Amino acid sequence: MKIRIAPIAGVIIGSLPVSVLYLDGYWDLQLAAVIWMVFAVAGWLAVRRRDVWGSRGNWWSARDNRWSALLVVVVLGGGQFGVHMDLPIPEDLTVALWYLVFGVGLASAAIGVEIGIEKGDDGVAADDNYTEQESSSPTAD
């Protein structure tokens, strides 16, 4: 389901972490631009396909929720434990890199959802006239 306000939502969502960094006193234009871009892409694609990101049942019966939980653990864990405060970099740069890792992870997941929707469940483009029966049935020659 495509939503018309998705690009606007992406711009707003992209501005949130950059605003927090600016208010916190850290400002590197290049890093801020990349953080804005990855959060804008993640926000745009997440709002565009919000039906995919919603919960479809309880934890034990819906495998989607387990994949979402794994996504959060990997992305947040990668940021928090990979870029930690004991690294020999300033604390404000550490926080900016947390945003960068988190945004790249979310944008990557959102791009993966788009790829999955475009290809369909079987890995074949949704608009192809290809069926599994055609590919697996032997010909009688």
Side-chain angles (χ1 to χ4, degrees):
M1 177 169 86
K2 295 181 183 178
I3 299 181
R4 294 180 189 258
I5 63 165
I8 296 168
V11 169
I12 293 169
I13 291 170
S15 301
L16 294 175
V18 174
S19 300
V20 169
L21 286 174
Y22 181 75
L23 292 174
D24 196 32
Y26 180 76
W27 191 250
D28 177 59
L29 185 60
Q30 185 175 357
L31 184 57
V34 172
I35 291 171
W36 177 86
M37 181 201 57
V38 296
F39 271 92
V41 167
W44 165 54
L45 293 176
V47 170
R48 182 172 185 232
R49 303 291 186 180
R50 69 178 179 191
D51 56 327
V52 174
W53 295 90
S55 178
R56 295 183 185 159
N58 63 29
W59 172 263
W60 301 109
S61 67
R63 66 176 190 214
D64 296 338
N65 289 339
R66 287 184 227 142
W67 289 115
S68 298
L70 182 62
L71 171 68
V72 169
V73 168
V74 168
V75 171
L76 286 178
Q80 294 290 315
F81 298 114
V83 184
H84 51 85
M85 289 292 190
D86 293 334
L87 289 175
I89 56 177
E91 288 183 16
D92 53 352
L93 179 59
T94 302
V95 173
L97 291 177
W98 285 346
Y99 280 119
L100 180 64
V101 170
F102 186 61
V104 167
L106 290 178
S108 299
I111 291 168
V113 166
E114 285 292 325
I115 290 170
I117 288 174
E118 290 290 323
K119 291 282 187 178
D121 290 337
D122 56 359
V124 179
D127 57 351
D128 288 347
N129 292 327
Y130 178 87
T131 64
E132 190 172 320
Q133 184 180 15
E134 291 173 356
S135 68
S136 63
S137 60
T139 58
D141 288 331

